[in-house]
């Protein structure tokens, strides 16, 4: 299967002034720990208490042996556990994240900037680019930017400012089935399947040190490659138009 092709990136904002700040090049990054706040029924979907899990261990495949001073050896098995056990590293809490919704396709080739798609695959293609309405809760303003142009500006700015950063699509795992360790480099880019509708592209910046303060990175004015719209207009703006191959 061919690698995913990212066509557009979308950033949602609760206030128009934040959208304007983004378009002039100001990227506001919260720490990963910020996104691990306690989830509630009223959460808009961006808070995830299981962010940056390094290991997700199912009870049926787990046996823990402990040696407790003044008590002795203790063994924990599935009968002692109410659910999976997760492990994480403190280091990841201090990474800074910039998250965007990605319009991307998987399993299709791109030819001269267009998607090569057989008639019988059009429905699948439309499904891939459709924005889940749950994402509209992230803010009533949205800024759309072509992925290639935005990422080019971003890479140049990060290099000039000597930031250690990685950007890529988030992968989603089935937390009801997955059992094991997540590779260290992938830990900030793995989330549970309940968040898969967000189709997230994530920039992860290691600014060094331990801080819970947000970080602002300026990548230069990008207003010439962006368009700002009301978020509720997005579903009608992003539609697949087909044309026959000559």
């Amino acid at each position: 299967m061919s690698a995913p092709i990212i066509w557009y990136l979308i950033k949602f904002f609760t206030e128009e002034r934040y959208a304007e700040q983004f378009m002039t090049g100001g990227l506001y990054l919260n720490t990963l720990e910020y996104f691990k706040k306690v989830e509630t029924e009223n959460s808009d979907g961006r808070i995830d208490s299981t962010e940056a899990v390094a290991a997700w261990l199912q009870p049926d495949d787990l046996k823990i042996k402990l040696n407790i001073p003044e008590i002795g050896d203790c063994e924990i098995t599935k009968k002692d556990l109410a659910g999976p056990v997760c492990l994480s590293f403190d280091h990841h809490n201090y990474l800074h994240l910039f998250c965007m919704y990605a319009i991307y396709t998987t399993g299709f080739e791109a030819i001269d900037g267009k998607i090569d798609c057989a008639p019988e695959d059009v429905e699948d293609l439309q499904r891939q680019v459709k924005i889940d309405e749950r994402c509209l809760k992230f803010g009533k303003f949205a800024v759309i930017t072509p992925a290639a142009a935005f990422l080019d500006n971003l890479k140049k700015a990060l290099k000039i400012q000597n930031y250690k950063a990685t950007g890529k699509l988030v992968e989603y795992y089935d937390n009801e089935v997955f059992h094991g360790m997540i590779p260290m480099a992938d830990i900030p880019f793995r989330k549970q399947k309940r968040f898969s509708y967000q189709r997230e592209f994530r920039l992860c910046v290691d600014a060094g040190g331990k801080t819970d303060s947000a970080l602002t990175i300026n990548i230069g004015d990008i207003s010439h490659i962006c368009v700002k719209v009301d978020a509720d207009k997005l579903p009608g703006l992003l539609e697949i138009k087909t044309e026959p191959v000559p």
Side-chain angles (χ1 to χ4, degrees), residues 67-156:
N67 183 275
I68 305 174
E70 300 182 5
I71 296 179
D73 293 337
C74 176
E75 184 175 273
I76 299 174
T77 63
K78 64 179 182 179
K79 64 182 177 61
D80 304 303
L81 300 170
V85 173
C86 63
L87 305 174
S88 61
F89 297 105
D90 184 63
H91 162 74
H92 294 102
N93 288 328
Y94 304 102
L95 299 175
H96 287 80
L97 306 181
F98 190 76
C99 310
M100 303 180 75
Y101 185 95
I103 300 290
Y104 66 91
T105 55
T106 303
F108 297 97
E109 298 292 338
I111 302 175
D112 296 329
K114 297 182 179 181
I115 302 173
D116 183 22
C117 177
E120 62 269 22
D121 295 325
V122 171
E123 185 176 342
D124 179 40
L125 181 60
Q126 290 177 330
R127 178 188 58 78
Q128 290 192 31
V129 301
K130 182 179 180 180
I131 297 176
D132 192 296
E133 291 188 0
R134 285 174 287 181
C135 295
L136 304 184
K137 296 187 299 182
F138 297 160
K140 64 179 184 178
F141 301 100
V143 177
I144 309 170
T145 178
F150 173 78
L151 294 176
D152 185 55
N153 277 271
L154 178 62
K155 290 175 183 177
K156 290 176 180 177

Side-chain angles (χ1 to χ4, degrees), residues 11 14 28-39 43-44 46-49 51 92-97 99 202 211-215:
K11 185 66 176 176
T14 55
Y28 185 82
L29 293 76
N30 277 307
T31 61
L32 187 146
E33 186 174 35
Y34 170 88
F35 295 101
K36 293 174 71 172
K37 294 177 181 178
V38 177
E39 296 173 68
S43 174
D44 64 7
R46 284 178 286 195
I47 301 303
D48 176 11
S49 58
E51 276 280 9
H92 294 102
N93 288 328
Y94 304 102
L95 299 175
H96 287 80
L97 306 181
C99 310
R202 172 173 286 190
T211 177
D212 57 3
S213 299
L215 174 69

